[in-house]
Structure formats: structure tokens, C-alpha cells
Amino acid sequence: MVKSEAVQATADISTESADNDLLVEEAYEAMGSDRSGNGSAESKHPKWEKWIENFKRRGWILVFILPALIYVLIFCYGPMYGILTAFQDYMPGDEILGSNTLWVGWDNFNTFFSNPNFGSYFLNTFLLCIFGFIVGFPLPIIVALLLNSIRKPKIKKGLQILYYAPHFISLVVLVGMMKLIFGSDGLLDQLAIKLGGSENGLQLFLKPEAFRPLFIFSGNWQDFGWSAIIYLAALAGVDPALHEAAKVDGASRFRRIFSVDLPAILPTIVMLMILSVGNLMSCGYEKVLLMQTGGNLETSEILSTYVYTFGLMDGHYGVGTAAGLFNSVINVVLLIIANFTSKKLANQSMW
């Protein structure tokens, strides 16, 4: 009897040992290495084979980004060869790359930089964009935090619709509304005259010092609600248990915004800040041209309007391309600086 029990115990130990050996072999196979420790040199599943296997299993997901990829390739990367005209004496119909192409080197840049109004254009662009960034970047964050703290769903949805609606107003309609309110013979002018002011009214559209406030605050009024959507989406992912724990500790609603909500969306804030700094010098010319009058040219002439008027309207295509390329280079430099600074200070970066 004792002998049979010993034989049975020996058999059990052998079976257990065999099972352990099998588990070890499976572990080595999962790590892509054999017992000899040769590692990837003698791997049964090289990295490229694993990549192909993963692509077969999950590659269909890439189909969803194909439309965006095609759009970027056609409309963003495709026309980039046109920057070569910044170094050419180019006219419509000329070959950008051909035997008859007339290369002028840095002459177009010299013409642009030697313009007596270059300093004014650059300063106007910088001030308009930096003030717009200072006012416009924190505003959607504040609005998102305040909307997220509202507990009544009906009030919250009503305010969201109210804030989103101006985004869908076209620039032409927006500037038309502004002229009806702030322009000559507009609402404010009529009120100023009736209240005993100047007989000519305020005429804000004719004053250079009024152009930047009108441009910045009208733009932020139109877009702050739409920009807050990203932050609201980030706030939706905050664990409610964190708020419950903060309540137990006696934190007020205002304190919970700074201790729970704001740290939760900090990575999103950093990413959007880097992207915003990368477009800091890109104001666009459409709204500026719509708001431009003979009285506010002192502050409304910027680099993008120079590219439009001098480069396109006056036919100096090479100089206009050089001015646009100069503006783009500044944006790239600002993007690199913002990314480097964010990586050092907040340990958050795009690359």
C-alpha cells in the first residue's frame, strides 16, 4: 500500500513537472525567444511578422482615417511645391519647374523686407494675434469649467446652444452685424447722438484704436462656445469618485474645479496651447478686409492683407509668396519653442 502511494506521488510530481515545462516553453514563445536566450536573433516571430499579424487583425481601423489623409495630401501637401515661386519671377502660366523658369534667389525677400511699411505690418500682425491669444485661449476653458459645474441639465443644454450658435454665423454676416451696431449711423452712433454726444457719433469703424478690440472680441464671441466642446469632452471623462472624495474632505464646488477638474484636463490644455501657438501669426485676411476702412488702415494692415493686395491683386506673386513663407516659418519656429517649453515645464509635448 505504501509502495503504491509512493508510485502515485512520483507520477503526480512527473505530471506537474511536465506541465511546468510546457508553461515555460509557452512563456518563451510569447516573448519571441527560446531557452538559449538568443533573443530576437533567433526569434520564431520577427517584428515585421507580428506587425503584419496585428495589421490583419486591426488594420481595418485605418480605413476611417483614409478620407482625412487623402484630404491632407491633396490640399495641404500637394500645393506645397508652390513655395518655389518665392524664389522666382513668376507669372500665371509660367512653369514652376522647367527650362524657362526664371530664378531670382532672395530678391523677392529683399523686396518684401525693404518695404517701408514692413515693420508696421509685422507689428500689427503680432499685436492682433497675441492679444487675440491672450483673450481667446483661456475663455473656452473657463466656459467649459463653469458649464460642467451646472447640475441642472436643461439650463446646461440651453447655455451650450446659446454659446455654440454664433459659430455658425458667416464672417460676412458677422461683420454686417457689427457695422449695424458699431458703424457709422449704427445703433451706438444713434444712441450717442440722442444722449447729447457728438453729432457724428462714435464712428468706431473709422478709428484705428478701435479696430483691434472689435476684431478680437467679435472673434472670441463667435468661437469661444465651439472651442469649449473639446474641454467639455475631456471633463466628461473625470471620475465622479474624485468629486465625491473631495466633498467628503469638505471641498467647495469652486475648490473642486481647481483640485479635480482643472488637473484632469491639463494635458488637453497643453496640447491645444501648443497648436494655438503654432498658428499664432495666422490671423487670416478675410475678416480683416471686411472690417478695413480708410480710417483704420493704420492698425488693420497686416501680413496676410499685404500678401492679398500686393501679391495677388497687384500681380507680384513672387513677393506675395515670400511674405507668406516668412509668416509660415515664424509659426513653425513658435511651434517648436512651445513644444520644447511644454516638454520641459509640464512634461507634455506633441513629439
Side-chain angles (χ1 to χ4, degrees):
M1 185 69 179
V2 175
K3 184 177 180 180
S4 61
E5 290 179 356
V7 171
Q8 182 65 33
T10 304
D12 293 340
I13 293 173
S14 300
T15 303
E16 184 178 355
S17 178
D19 292 340
N20 291 336
D21 291 340
L22 181 61
L23 291 174
V24 171
E25 290 292 342
E26 291 178 354
Y28 275 112
E29 288 179 2
M31 292 187 296
S33 176
D34 58 12
R35 292 196 183 196
S36 61
N38 292 332
S40 60
E42 297 181 10
S43 175
K44 296 181 181 179
H45 301 284
K47 289 184 178 180
W48 65 272
E49 290 185 1
K50 290 184 179 180
W51 189 89
I52 292 176
E53 183 180 352
N54 290 332
F55 181 80
K56 289 180 180 179
R57 286 188 296 167
R58 305 183 182 92
W60 59 272
I61 300 176
L62 299 177
V63 175
F64 291 97
I65 68 171
L66 279 179
L69 180 62
I70 294 172
Y71 175 85
V72 170
L73 290 176
I74 294 176
F75 294 101
C76 296
Y77 285 94
M80 283 183 67
Y81 75 95
I83 64 176
L84 295 175
T85 58
F87 307 94
Q88 301 172 2
D89 185 8
Y90 177 80
M91 292 297 292
D94 294 347
E95 294 181 354
I96 295 180
L97 287 175
S99 57
N100 297 324
T101 302
L102 183 59
W103 297 91
V104 296
W106 298 94
D107 289 353
N108 291 327
F109 290 91
N110 293 331
T111 302
F112 172 57
F113 293 137
S114 61
N115 189 309
N117 296 320
F118 166 75
S120 176
Y121 296 156
F122 183 83
L123 182 62
N124 289 340
T125 305
F126 179 77
L127 292 177
L128 193 64
C129 294
I130 195 66
F131 289 150
F133 175 79
I134 292 173
V135 175
F137 182 75
L139 188 58
I141 302 173
I142 297 172
V143 171
L145 292 171
L146 293 177
L147 285 175
N148 188 67
S149 64
I150 297 176
R151 297 304 174 211
K152 295 184 179 180
K154 291 184 178 180
I155 297 178
K156 183 176 180 179
K157 290 181 180 179
L159 289 175
Q160 285 178 340
I161 295 174
L162 183 65
Y163 293 156
Y164 297 165
H167 175 77
F168 300 98
I169 301 175
S170 69
L171 287 178
V172 177
V173 175
L174 175 65
V175 176
M177 293 168 56
M178 293 172 61
K179 288 185 176 180
L180 289 175
I181 298 173
F182 304 105
S184 300
D185 297 328
L187 178 62
L188 285 183
D189 281 12
Q190 296 298 327
L191 288 176
I193 293 173
K194 290 183 178 181
L195 293 175
S198 173
E199 61 180 8
N200 295 323
L202 298 177
Q203 296 187 341
L204 296 178
F205 264 76
L206 298 178
K207 296 181 178 181
E209 62 273 14
F211 172 78
R212 292 190 188 111
L214 289 175
F215 183 92
I216 292 170
F217 286 105
S218 62
N220 286 307
W221 171 77
Q222 186 178 21
D223 292 328
F224 79 92
W226 185 258
S227 300
I229 293 177
I230 298 177
Y231 300 109
L232 285 171
L235 287 168
V238 178
D239 189 356
L242 297 176
H243 283 280
E244 295 299 329
K247 287 181 181 179
V248 172
D249 292 338
S252 63
R253 181 176 296 182
F254 185 76
R255 181 63 181 175
R256 280 185 278 125
I257 289 176
F258 285 91
S259 299
V260 179
D261 292 334
L262 197 57
I265 65 173
L266 184 59
T268 304
I269 294 174
V270 172
M271 288 295 106
L272 293 180
M273 184 195 69
I274 294 174
L275 293 174
S276 298
V277 172
N279 290 317
L280 190 61
M281 294 292 288
S282 300
C283 290
Y285 66 90
E286 298 91 347
K287 186 178 177 182
V288 177
L289 287 177
L290 290 171
M291 293 182 60
Q292 213 171 58
T293 62
N296 62 19
L297 286 175
E298 181 182 340
T299 54
S300 63
E301 279 287 1
I302 60 177
L303 290 175
S304 58
T305 58
Y306 174 83
V307 172
Y308 176 78
T309 56
F310 188 76
L312 294 179
M313 300 301 293
D314 295 343
H316 301 90
Y317 298 98
V319 179
T321 306
L325 181 58
F326 169 75
N327 197 13
S328 299
V329 169
I330 293 177
N331 283 331
V332 172
V333 173
L334 291 175
L335 176 63
I336 295 173
I337 293 174
N339 186 78
F340 177 80
T341 305
S342 174
K343 188 174 183 179
K344 291 295 183 181
L345 298 181
N347 199 25
Q348 295 284 339
S349 63
M350 294 185 62
W351 66 83

